[in-house]
Amino acid sequence: MYSFLYWPRLVEIHGAVFIGLSGNDEEEIRKRLTSTTGRAIPGRGEIPWAEVVDSFNLFELGHLFSAVPVHRDDFDPLHRELGSVLVKSWHARLVDEFPEREFSVRLMEADESMMEMRIEVKQVSPILSTPDGWDGRLRRVVID
């Protein structure tokens, strides 16, 4: 029932690898990467492509199971245990599917950013190339 959590689906879009945990991952990710969520706001800085990809591959452990409350301190040891197992299995999954690439998969503690304990996945090598049509101010890939 939870095999997707330990050996997740991997989706490659525009040369970037995304961890898929929701079932309709490719469709949902493509939609989010191409739809305009806003307009270019004066003074709003551009977001690099790699930073957007990284934001998709950040998973708060408390949200992986919706029945488990996110902000309860007594779940920290359980989240840490689950996270340490997932870090190893996700890294193995990435190496199995993309042996020519290097990824960083790490467990991060809750911090002042208001994020709970989480798993962060980043492609280290080769460095991600920005796809044609990426607009860092609109934060989407513009398709003609």
Side-chain angles (χ1 to χ4, degrees):
M1 181 161 90
Y2 291 110
S3 63
F4 72 92
L5 188 59
Y6 296 96
W7 201 255
R9 182 167 177 238
L10 302 177
V11 177
E12 185 177 12
I13 300 173
H14 298 298
V17 177
F18 298 86
I19 302 290
L21 298 179
S22 68
N24 64 340
D25 308 291
E26 185 167 1
E27 178 183 332
E28 180 63 27
I29 293 167
R30 283 187 187 281
K31 181 179 175 184
R32 287 177 56 195
L33 288 174
T34 57
S35 65
T36 301
T37 56
R39 54 185 169 73
I41 300 170
R44 177 166 130 174
E46 291 193 21
I47 294 183
W49 168 248
E51 190 174 319
V52 170
V53 172
D54 293 345
S55 74
F56 277 82
N57 287 329
L58 192 65
F59 301 89
E60 289 181 294
L61 292 164
H63 291 284
L64 294 179
F65 299 97
S66 59
V68 177
V70 176
H71 298 290
R72 298 241 340 249
D73 291 337
D74 51 337
F75 282 103
D76 274 358
L78 298 173
H79 288 163
R80 189 170 287 103
E81 183 69 26
L82 174 62
S84 66
V85 170
L86 294 180
V87 162
K88 292 174 187 171
S89 66
W90 289 10
H91 189 265
R93 174 72 171 115
L94 288 158
V95 168
D96 181 65
E97 188 74 20
F98 298 96
E100 71 287 355
R101 300 184 193 191
E102 181 182 347
F103 294 91
S104 166
V105 184
R106 65 185 184 140
L107 181 63
M108 299 176 65
E109 295 290 329
D111 58 25
E112 66 281 350
S113 71
M114 301 299 291
M115 294 194 76
E116 297 298 318
M117 191 178 302
R118 60 204 177 272
I119 297 175
E120 172 194 80
V121 178
K122 291 185 176 192
Q123 182 171 316
V124 176
S125 175
I127 295 172
L128 290 174
S129 298
T130 303
D132 292 339
W134 174 249
D135 186 321
R137 290 191 66 212
L138 290 177
R139 299 170 185 182
R140 71 179 180 117
V141 176
V142 178
I143 299 174
D144 294 332

